[in-house]
Every structure is written in C-alpha cells, then in structure tokens.
C-alpha cells in the first residue's frame, strides 16, 4: 500500500460551499501530501456522491492524489477510489474490509484506545481520531478529546493516526508532537479566504 498523505481534505458539500473549487486551489500546493475524502451530506443521493467522487478522481489523477469515500463504500468501489472511511454508524470495520478488499485504504473513526485497537484488529489501515477541538462543521459530536486524548490513541496503535475536528495549521505542531501522523480538515480549507495559502500553511506545518 502506498504511503498515506498527511493532509486529508474532506469535501464540504454544505450549501454555499464549492468543494471542487477548493480542491482545484489546493491540489497544486498540497498534492504531495494530499488525500481527498469525499463526504456528502446524509441527505445526498448516491448518484450525487458518485458524480462528486468521479469529479474528485478526475481532478486528482494528474497529481496522483488518492481519493477515499466516506460511508458509502459501494460508491468507492463503483468509481475505483482508493478506499473508504467508516465510523460507528457505518459498516463495521471488518465488513468494510471485506467489501473493499485487502489492498484498499480503509480508515476508521476512533475516539479512545479500546475502539482504536479493535478497529485496527478488524482491518483499519489508518484511524481518524477526534474531535480534537470544538467544531461547528458537524453536529452531535462528543466533547473534544484534546491533545491528551489523541496521544492516548496514538500510544495504543501502530497505524497512522489522523487528527480531526477543529484542526487548523496552528494546532499541527502540538498534534504532531503527540504522535499524529496527519490531519483531516473541512473548515480550515473550505472556509479559508485563500484555500491555496491555507493548504500551503498546513503542509508546511505537517512536513
Ligand atoms: C479522517 C476522518 N476521521 C473521522 C471521520 C468521521 O467519520 P464518522 O464518525 O463515520 O462520521 P461521518 O463523517 O460519517 O459523519 C471522518 N469522516 N474522517
Ligand atoms: C466530519 C467530522 N468528523 C469528526 C469526528 O470527530 O469524528 S469532526 C468532523 C468535522 C471536521 O471538520 P472541521 O475540520 O471543519 O472541524
Ligand atoms: Mg461515517
């Protein structure tokens, strides 16, 4: 399996956002470290998820940027994406691994060491761990686990840990010091006045 990028851009498909414009801006400056995770609103149709994934794949291909699909693993398979990401409300990790096959990248959400270890045992190739900070991007999250919570997970597993939830470039040194391999962001890029510049700052902090 090729090495995982350290900057995971999660698509922002909320009203008023333009995930493909953000991706076009970010690709030239971040492609060496970039992974794109296609995440659509729960209300989106599979067809919408499929079309967005195809567009992301087309934009990322010249740069060799891998694309993962959140939740909807059939969309990952149908589009030839590199893999997927699952959490507590999605297919169990072992089932997701069965669906995607042994070569795919499979991320799983974990918030504490026990579930992290279980996810890795079941076949996760990386973990998304958070929320590290408070975030308005997603409703219904538990309280932030902070840097200490992230470190506890890092110490329990041997796969890359991707910190998520309210992460900005300013947080990266502390998260990396705690053992995070990389970060996953929505707002830090999608909400930036200049996404290319924000991506460059994130990559500089991560590498
Ligand atoms: C890298 C990364 N980490 C965590 C998540 C969250 O996944 P999940 O808990 O399944 O929640 P939804 O994103 O599906 O709402 C993620 N997507 N990516
Ligand atoms: C989709 C998602 N999952 C999270 C988790 O902790 O499981 S936090 C999150 C949203 C991340 O967006 P932002 O970078 O804008 O905070
Ligand atoms: Mg999910």
């Amino acid at each position: 399996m090729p090495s995982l990028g350290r900057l995971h851009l999660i698509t922002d498909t909320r009203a008023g956002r333009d995930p493909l414009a953000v991706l076009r801006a970010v690709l030239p400056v971040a492609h060496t470290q970039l992974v794109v995770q296609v995440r659509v609103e729960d209300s989106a149709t599979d067809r919408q998820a499929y079309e967005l994934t195809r567009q992301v794949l087309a934009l990322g291909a010249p740069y060799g940027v891998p694309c993962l699909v959140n939740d909807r693993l059939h969309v990952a398979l149908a589009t030839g994406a590199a893999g997927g990401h699952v959490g507590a409300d999605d297919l169990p990790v072992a089932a997701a691994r069965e669906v995607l096959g042994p070569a795919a990248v499979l991320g799983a959400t974990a918030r504490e060491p026990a579930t992290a270890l279980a996810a890795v045992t079941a076949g996760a190739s990386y973990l998304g761990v958070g929320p590290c900070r408070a975030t308005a991007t997603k409703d219904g999250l538990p309280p932030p686990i902070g840097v200490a919570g992230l470190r506890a997970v890092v110490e329990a597993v041997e796969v890359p840990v991707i910190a998520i939830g309210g992460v900005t470039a300013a947080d990266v040194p502390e998260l990396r010091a705690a053992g995070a391999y990389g970060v996953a962001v929505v707002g830090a890029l999608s909400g930036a006045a200049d996404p290319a510049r924000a991506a460059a700052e994130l990559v500089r902090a991560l590498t």
Side-chain angles (χ1 to χ4, degrees), residues 22 25-26 29 188-202:
V22 172
V26 166
V29 294
L189 290 173
S190 176
D194 183 345
R197 183 174 172 173
E201 285 172 9
L202 281 159

Side-chain angles (χ1 to χ4, degrees), residues 55-81:
Q55 288 172 299
V56 166
L57 283 164
L59 288 173
Y63 294 92
V65 168
C67 171
L68 308 178
V69 178
N70 187 49
D71 297 349
R72 306 188 195 204
L73 303 185
H74 54 303
V75 173
L77 289 175
T79 56

Side-chain angles (χ1 to χ4, degrees), residues 16-38:
R17 305 293 173 127
D18 187 345
L20 296 177
V22 172
L23 178 57
R24 281 190 200 94
V26 166
L27 274 168
V29 294
H31 59 97
T32 60
Q33 292 300 327
L34 195 63
V35 174
V36 182
Q37 183 192 127
V38 174

Side-chain angles (χ1 to χ4, degrees), residues 133 147 165-176 183:
R133 307 272 184 229
V147 174
V167 174
T168 67
D171 299 313
V172 169
E174 200 177 17
L175 295 168
R176 290 277 286 144
V183 300

Side-chain angles (χ1 to χ4, degrees), residues 88-109:
D89 294 337
D90 309 315
L91 279 184
V93 177
R97 175 55 75 194
E98 281 292 316
V99 167
L100 290 177
V105 179
L106 175 58
T109 305

Side-chain angles (χ1 to χ4, degrees), residues 76-160:
L77 289 175
T79 56
H85 186 100
V86 293
D89 294 337
D90 309 315
L91 279 184
V93 177
R97 175 55 75 194
E98 281 292 316
V99 167
L100 290 177
V105 179
L106 175 58
T109 305
R111 312 199 186 283
E112 34 84 28
T115 46
L117 207 47
V120 174
T121 304
S125 42
Y126 77 87
L127 298 177
V129 176
C132 292
R133 307 272 184 229
T135 177
T137 301
K138 179 177 169 178
D139 293 330
L141 286 168
I145 63 170
V147 174
L150 178 95
R151 183 181 287 111
V153 172
V154 166
E155 289 173 353
V157 297
E158 299 206 338
V159 299

